[in-house]
Amino acid sequence: MRLKVHTKATLSDAMTALEKANREVAYQAALEGIVLLENDGCLPVKPGKIALFGAGAGMTIKGGTGSGEVNERHAVSIREGLEMSGFTVTTGEWIDEYARLYEAGEKAYAEAFRKKLMTLNMTNVINLMSEPYQYPFGQPVTKADLEDSGTDTCIYVIARQAGEGADRKLKNKEYTLSEVERQNISLCAAYYEKMIVAVNVGASFDMNFLDEISGINAVVFFAQQGTMGGKAFADLVSGEATPSGKLADTWAQHYEDIPFAKEYSYLNGNLNEEHYKEGIYVGYRYFDSFHVTPKYPIGYGLSYTTFSWDMEEIVVDQTKITVSVRVKNTGEQYAGKEVLQLYVSCPEGRIEKEYQKLAAFAKTDRLKPGESQIVTLQFDFADLASYSTADAGMILEAGEYRFRLGNSSRNTEVCAVVELDEEVVTKHLVHICERFSPVEELHQPKWKTAEHTGRENTDGEHTGRENSDKETNVPENVAHRAICASDFETIEYHYKNPDVYSSEKLDPILNKLSTEELAALTAGAGIRGQKKFFEAPGSAGFTTGKLLGKGIPNVALADGPAGLRLQKRSALMRSGKLKAVDPFISLMNYMPDFVKKLMLADPDKNILLYQFTTAFPVGLALAQSWNTELVEKVGNAVGEEMKAYGVTYWLAPALNIHRNPLCGRNFEYYSEDPLISGKMAAAMTRGVQKNRGCFVTIKHFCCNNQEDNRNRTNANVSERALREIYLRGFEIVVKEAYPGAVMSSYNKVNGEYVNNSYDLLTKVLRNEWGFDGLVMTDWFATGKGLGDHAKAIAAGNDLLMPGGDGAVKAVTKAVQDGVITVTDVRRCAANVLHGIMSSRIYYAFCKKNGTLLR
């Protein structure tokens, strides 16, 4: 048998040096992404006998479901990790019984799934993705379980799964404790001297049970930590390592504390329209501005040691700000790392402001007791500008900017005051994404119009304010600096269609293509159905294989962002083609047996090829490290695997904002804060793209902040909130790390599908930010009742995924009918071809065909 396509999958299933190295990177990332929320001195505990209960004890969730899944060789559970670190788990029978309960529930779910599938009712089929199998909460812990455990120490692991296609349901206890868990934890807390609760969830969780159940000594937010999470957890629990993770989100005391919480997604009774009434007041911006006490603030996390910090110096170099801080480990026993966070309160004039916003952060090295280090926090003062709807510009208002230094948003002190002498317009922009349905946004009660009539202006423009809650008195020893309006540059943008990419190598190929062939280049290919030059089994899709005769090979696009999602095992069939052996996504496990038999190959009857990739901590967990250098190492590790298996575009990182904790895909995203999101995604991008011919695809651009009805929901959002919250993270990545690709999101923004939005894809992304890479749609985001194929091309969406013949015909016909121009199609085709020609696969294709240019 001879392969009909090229692949870099291997015949050996032995663990490679790369796999071993990347498991170590995953371990280090997990160590820094686990957050210690509570500890009365119970932790760390020495290895010994330990009782272990809960849904996540033996079946620890390493990542969410959907495209964010990774098919790694093996993920270490919390039980395995504890045993690897010298603990003896004495409750194995309870854990094994839970596994049987899980399997029985999964079997019943599969039967119901198949019945719905066989009805051929499309509504039922579509809803299958939005009703994933949920982990059982677990069976009761009995008195015998406690007595037989033979230890005074217990860990109870709460677990919840979430994923693509559905938001977390309050009624299903996906955000809160179930009754059986409440009873179990109460029983264990009363029996054991040391009681530790671990939260194995990919987003924030209701922690009110801590106020209702006494005897809980420590709480660990494990999140979802990938292939080595269980080992990292055990090493933190035992004191082998010291916790250094910090929350990347604000955790509310009660779900209802979140602004307009009951109007989110499915809770508002209208999945077609989502109104972003909170405006800029997302996460800590709301809690800090409206005096709502959170359960845990953003940036919060405990350690086994203590730290002190003192500002050494603040330097204002024109518009560049550098704050130097000496951080010291003031503990006596444990080494550790601290995260310094710099927030700024901006002066208030005609533009309403949040109480404070994050301007910079830095993480120390591992400091031994008594050891200190000077860390620097740097940013451009222009980044503090607010968007003025009235002026269509970014504005710095004159006055005092108060810098607040600390280790969470609620543990800071004013460390400096910088005064701007005059108002500055940092950018002249144009209005984008016009709203047809005005959003009545939330405003701080102290803000009123000049006439003090009590009427609030929905655009956030004000001419007066009353009763500021910001400190009027600043400590005498605080550094004061001046910054001059004359030092700032006002950036002007030119709004136009970008030039068609041109190069000496690309032009001769592009010039030979007909209009239909140009259209084919803009339409990608799915997993099946087209001839390919190259295949990375398990890829989510490919660029077209129809133009091989024109010197254009296909390249692979593989899912993320917790690692590279590829087929772990593939079979070489008699036809010379590759066929999957294992389900490439968990949903396939529930398909009827005859469907799986058609889709999957028998591993015992065929030659097997292997691709073992690494499951890294999910995006939220990586953000909780607050360590961009570490995230860049993770990116490089992913890039090395892309290089090893021939993937050109990684469909990651994802950096949508955690607008609400119920979003089913929050595990994939980084934070509620755009600065954290942007910096983490930029670090990941730099890491991946260190590897020649490997590119990221930052996603989902933009406002993909819910999963229910994600293909059709309309995000009604003000221009200010759009620019300051939902676009800001993407802007940081584009300008700092130059990602190879951007994925447009499924949803509409203010009535227009993002993939059809010229404002977003051309005016903002290319004209304002200077993006020069490839823009692709999310999968099946264009078509009947969705975004229009041709309009997507005209808007600047280069690649329609997975495209297919229908998209080619629609684009070709649109040119013939004068709806779009040949230049529109050529512009998009050139961007696709440029990416292909920059890949390693193009090099291999040319070498094989003897067309390699030297």
Side-chain angles (χ1 to χ4, degrees), residues 11 46 117 179 348 551 721 739:
L11 291 168
K46 293 182 179 179
L117 191 67
E179 190 54 37
E348 314 218 12

Side-chain angles (χ1 to χ4, degrees), residues 226-425:
T227 190
M228 295 299 290
K231 173 61 174 167
F233 175 85
D235 286 350
L236 290 171
V237 165
S238 68
E240 183 69 22
T242 300
S244 67
K246 306 280 186 175
L247 294 179
D249 291 320
T250 304
W251 286 33
Q253 291 271 12
H254 307 279
Y255 176 69
E256 292 75 14
D257 290 344
I258 298 163
F260 308 103
K262 288 297 186 178
E263 297 182 27
Y264 174 73
S265 184
Y266 61 90
L267 294 171
N268 68 14
N270 181 2
L271 284 172
N272 291 322
E273 300 292 334
E274 185 75 2
H275 296 278
Y276 287 45
K277 293 181 180 180
E278 70 283 353
I280 64 168
Y281 295 110
V282 177
Y284 72 93
R285 285 171 164 80
Y286 170 76
F287 283 84
D288 294 351
S289 300
F290 286 79
H291 308 291
V292 180
T293 302
K295 183 67 178 180
Y296 303 111
I298 189 172
Y300 169 85
L302 301 177
S303 175
Y304 295 151
T305 188
T306 55
F307 297 90
S308 66
W309 52 88
D310 296 289
M311 194 183 80
E312 294 270 308
E313 187 179 21
I314 175 170
V315 175
V316 178
D317 181 6
Q318 293 188 311
T319 69
K320 307 298 182 185
I321 307 295
T322 302
V323 176
S324 300
V325 184
R326 181 174 293 279
V327 186
K328 183 178 181 180
N329 183 342
T330 55
E332 298 180 351
Q333 185 175 0
Y334 295 98
K337 297 182 177 184
E338 179 61 296
V339 176
L340 269 293
Q341 302 156 42
L342 185 67
Y343 298 82
V344 177
S345 295
C346 301
E348 314 218 12
R350 61 190 176 91
I351 304 175
E352 182 175 346
K353 308 288 198 317
E354 62 273 270
Y355 174 72
Q356 61 181 358
K357 56 185 172 184
L358 186 66
F361 59 88
K363 193 165 192 174
T364 68
D365 297 333
R366 184 174 180 270
L367 302 178
K368 298 176 182 177
E371 188 176 6
S372 65
Q373 176 188 358
I374 292 180
V375 299
T376 56
L377 300 106
Q378 297 178 314
F379 69 99
D380 192 314
F381 201 86
D383 291 339
L384 299 177
S386 300
Y387 182 72
S388 168
T389 307
D391 303 294
M394 300 301 295
I395 309 292
L396 288 169
E397 295 195 275
E400 291 186 349
Y401 289 75
R402 296 180 180 182
F403 288 30
R404 304 174 187 277
L405 183 65
N407 64 352
S408 80
S409 74
R410 291 296 178 108
N411 185 33
T412 64
E413 291 184 355
V414 177
C415 67
V417 175
V418 177
E419 186 165 3
L420 176 63
D421 57 351
E422 295 178 5
E423 180 174 291
V424 175
V425 179

Side-chain angles (χ1 to χ4, degrees), residues 87-360:
F87 289 90
T88 300
V89 175
T90 61
T91 52
E93 289 187 10
W94 191 97
I95 297 171
D96 293 341
E97 178 58 32
Y98 176 84
R100 288 189 284 271
L101 180 69
Y102 180 99
E103 289 170 7
E106 191 174 36
K107 183 178 180 181
Y109 172 84
E111 290 176 0
F113 181 101
R114 290 163 187 163
K115 285 180 181 178
K116 287 183 180 180
L117 191 67
M118 296 308 292
T119 65
L120 302 180
N121 181 303
M122 283 311 297
T123 300
N124 283 341
V125 173
I126 291 169
N127 287 339
L128 292 174
M129 271 288 285
S130 62
E131 298 174 1
Y133 176 58
Q134 293 295 326
Y135 274 44
F137 298 129
Q139 72 275 23
V141 173
T142 66
K143 186 177 179 181
D145 290 326
L146 303 179
E147 293 173 349
D148 292 346
S149 65
T151 179
D152 65 354
T153 304
C154 174
I155 297 176
Y156 197 99
V157 187
I158 302 164
R160 296 288 187 276
Q161 184 58 291
E164 185 174 7
D167 292 316
R168 298 161 72 193
K169 302 299 184 286
L170 291 176
K171 67 179 182 179
N172 296 340
K173 303 293 184 181
E174 294 174 42
Y175 178 72
T176 56
L177 212 59
S178 68
E179 190 54 37
V180 68
E181 288 171 318
R182 185 180 301 276
Q183 293 173 0
N184 285 349
I185 292 172
S186 297
L187 190 67
C188 291
Y191 183 84
Y192 292 102
E193 182 181 332
K194 297 178 181 180
M195 178 63 186
I196 302 142
V197 173
V199 181
N200 178 205
V201 182
S204 61
F205 192 75
D206 188 328
M207 303 299 291
N208 281 309
F209 66 87
L210 295 178
D211 301 321
E212 301 160 0
I213 302 172
S214 60
I216 296 174
N217 305 104
V219 179
V220 178
F221 181 41
F222 177 79
Q224 296 171 338
Q225 298 291 346
T227 190
M228 295 299 290
K231 173 61 174 167
F233 175 85
D235 286 350
L236 290 171
V237 165
S238 68
E240 183 69 22
T242 300
S244 67
K246 306 280 186 175
L247 294 179
D249 291 320
T250 304
W251 286 33
Q253 291 271 12
H254 307 279
Y255 176 69
E256 292 75 14
D257 290 344
I258 298 163
F260 308 103
K262 288 297 186 178
E263 297 182 27
Y264 174 73
S265 184
Y266 61 90
L267 294 171
N268 68 14
N270 181 2
L271 284 172
N272 291 322
E273 300 292 334
E274 185 75 2
H275 296 278
Y276 287 45
K277 293 181 180 180
E278 70 283 353
I280 64 168
Y281 295 110
V282 177
Y284 72 93
R285 285 171 164 80
Y286 170 76
F287 283 84
D288 294 351
S289 300
F290 286 79
H291 308 291
V292 180
T293 302
K295 183 67 178 180
Y296 303 111
I298 189 172
Y300 169 85
L302 301 177
S303 175
Y304 295 151
T305 188
T306 55
F307 297 90
S308 66
W309 52 88
D310 296 289
M311 194 183 80
E312 294 270 308
E313 187 179 21
I314 175 170
V315 175
V316 178
D317 181 6
Q318 293 188 311
T319 69
K320 307 298 182 185
I321 307 295
T322 302
V323 176
S324 300
V325 184
R326 181 174 293 279
V327 186
K328 183 178 181 180
N329 183 342
T330 55
E332 298 180 351
Q333 185 175 0
Y334 295 98
K337 297 182 177 184
E338 179 61 296
V339 176
L340 269 293
Q341 302 156 42
L342 185 67
Y343 298 82
V344 177
S345 295
C346 301
E348 314 218 12
R350 61 190 176 91
I351 304 175
E352 182 175 346
K353 308 288 198 317
E354 62 273 270
Y355 174 72
Q356 61 181 358
K357 56 185 172 184
L358 186 66

